[in-house]
Amino acid sequence: MIFGTGTDVCDLRRIAATLARRGDKFPERVLGPGEMKVFQYRRAKVEARGLAYLGTRFSCKEAFSKAIGLGLHMPMSWRACEILNHASGQPYIRLHGELADWFAARRLRAHVTLSDESDYAVSFVVVEQDD
């Protein structure tokens, strides 16, 4: 059964402006440890790839928070939700701490897709509840 859906569109130019204004404090606030490693690797190779990665993760967390109906209120927090990729490239959501417990207690599972272009990132999340 569908528990919730969420979508988000993110303007990467706004992410770039925030990154320029706040420096590394912004990705440190938004990204979990696994995401931070990928962000730093991609950013070191090509700045635009790092920016796109940060934007897709920001967008996806916004979409996930909408799908679970909490917005950015506890137990949902930026760093408790990581958007990672399987070896195949397929994105998936890994949750930590209280958010993981909250999610498991409700027997939920999430499906996610995300994409980016030069100026925008978009994400869509479907959360199902097991019967």
Side-chain angles (χ1 to χ4, degrees):
M1 174 173 87
I2 301 293
F3 182 83
T5 61
T7 190
D8 189 75
V9 177
C10 178
D11 187 332
L12 295 177
R13 295 165 295 193
R14 288 183 60 206
I15 298 291
T18 302
L19 190 56
R21 197 172 53 252
R22 293 188 160 180
D24 285 343
K25 289 184 186 219
F26 179 61
E28 289 168 359
R29 181 173 168 241
V30 172
L31 301 176
E35 294 168 316
M36 184 59 90
K37 288 178 187 174
V38 176
F39 168 70
Q40 290 169 335
Y41 174 78
R42 289 187 180 189
R43 186 181 190 193
K45 286 189 99 166
V46 178
E47 183 73 25
R49 286 190 67 211
L51 179 66
Y53 184 84
L54 179 58
T56 56
R57 273 46 196 180
F58 182 89
S59 174
C60 197
K61 291 175 190 207
E62 287 277 344
F64 178 75
S65 72
K66 294 170 187 176
I68 61 174
L70 293 178
L72 287 169
H73 296 94
M74 292 303 283
M76 176 61 193
S77 69
W78 294 112
R79 292 178 48 80
C81 175
E82 287 192 287
I83 316 305
L84 302 170
N85 294 85
H86 292 293
S88 67
Q90 178 187 22
Y92 69 95
I93 296 176
R94 177 187 294 160
L95 304 175
H96 304 284
E98 291 179 43
L99 181 58
D101 296 341
W102 181 91
F103 199 75
R106 286 158 182 75
R107 299 178 333 276
L108 301 176
R109 56 194 159 107
H111 308 277
V112 57
T113 187
L114 47 93
S115 186
D116 64 273
E117 280 296 326
S118 57
D119 291 334
Y120 297 98
V122 63
S123 301
F124 188 73
V125 175
V126 175
V127 174
E128 291 182 289
Q129 186 170 44
D130 293 333
D131 295 330

